[in-house]
Amino acid sequence: LLLVPLALLARRRRGRRTPPIRLLVVAGSGGHTTEILRLLSCLSESYSPRHYILADSDKMSEAKIRSFEQKRAETFSNSQFTLDRIPRSREVRQSWTSSAVTTLYSILYSLPLTYKLKPDLILCNGPGTCVPVCISALLLGLLGLKRAIIVYVESICRVETLSLSGKILYYFSDYFIVQWPDLKEKYPKSVYLGRIV
């Protein structure tokens, strides 16, 4: 008689679904968004809601994300996502001095947003926008408010050297994934999985 309740409890635990994982995705203009959406297409419905953050000057990524999410909603009926924008931390060919100021502003802007979204996992692949978002997530973790796992996937086009974002986040990410063996040799902390996009 004592074994029956234990067996029922064990069966109930096995029948539970895994809790949803709040995913924050940092999108970047052009190829970065295309690559990150390819990665997302492999994820199960457990990664919900998906919160996208993109630079305020990025005009193309929003349309790509909305199209991707519309197709995803046809497969998963409870598909949820949000879109938020933050100031761009660095423009192409911007000076290092002014980049420090704009990146700091972007961090201060993304800190309350990251706190509001409270992601379990942050997925990024190299746009400059990911640096302030990841730093704000690290600060929230240090303050004991919310710990997020940071997964950085270096872009497929980075064969021999890391991007600037990669060079910064190599030291702070929980998982740093590269797609070329030469990078794995140069950066031993990285994980080489072959071509994943």
Side-chain angles (χ1 to χ4, degrees):
L1 287 173
L2 290 173
L3 293 176
V4 172
L6 291 175
L8 290 173
L9 185 61
R11 184 183 300 167
R12 191 180 310 155
R13 282 186 184 153
R14 270 186 262 128
R16 288 183 187 157
R17 292 178 4 151
T18 56
I21 298 166
R22 297 174 67 85
L23 177 64
L24 191 154
V25 180
V26 184
S29 54
H32 288 294
T33 299
T34 302
E35 284 185 17
I36 206 85
L37 292 178
R38 283 186 190 152
L39 286 172
L40 291 176
S41 65
C42 302
L43 296 181
S44 72
E45 61 183 318
S46 296
Y47 294 87
S48 180
R50 285 167 306 288
H51 302 289
Y52 296 91
I53 294 182
L54 48 147
D56 54 6
S57 59
D58 184 353
K59 305 300 181 203
M60 297 188 314
S61 294
E62 183 173 348
K64 289 180 181 180
I65 291 166
R66 290 192 183 280
S67 174
F68 170 80
E69 287 293 339
Q70 186 176 9
K71 289 177 187 168
R72 190 172 173 92
E74 294 169 5
T75 308
F76 304 114
S77 59
N78 64 341
S79 186
Q80 300 173 8
F81 76 100
T82 64
L83 279 166
D84 289 287
R85 293 181 178 272
I86 64 169
R88 188 179 288 272
S89 60
R90 184 173 185 269
E91 296 287 348
V92 177
R93 291 186 287 279
Q94 184 178 349
S95 74
W96 290 105
T97 309
S98 64
S99 291
V101 174
T102 54
T103 300
L104 181 60
Y105 175 65
S106 191
I107 291 168
L108 293 173
Y109 193 93
S110 61
L111 196 57
L113 177 61
T114 308
Y115 176 71
K116 181 185 87 169
L117 299 176
K118 291 184 175 57
D120 300 308
L121 174 66
I122 297 176
L123 180 63
C124 50
N125 69 336
T129 309
C130 70
V131 173
V133 171
C134 290
I135 289 174
S136 66
L138 288 168
L139 289 172
L140 291 175
L142 290 172
L143 294 171
L145 299 173
K146 175 64 178 173
R147 167 80 169 93
I149 295 171
I150 298 173
V151 177
Y152 184 94
V153 181
E154 186 61 275
S155 176
I156 188 74
C157 67
R158 290 295 177 164
V159 179
E160 296 178 355
T161 61
L162 297 179
S163 61
L164 178 58
S165 300
K167 289 175 182 174
I168 295 168
L169 293 176
Y170 176 75
Y171 300 100
F172 302 110
S173 60
D174 295 286
Y175 299 96
F176 192 94
I177 300 169
V178 295
Q179 302 185 61
W180 295 95
D182 288 354
L183 287 177
K184 171 62 181 166
E185 289 177 20
K186 290 179 183 176
Y187 301 94
K189 178 198 163 192
S190 64
V191 178
Y192 171 62
L193 299 176
R195 295 179 67 175
I196 58 175
V197 294

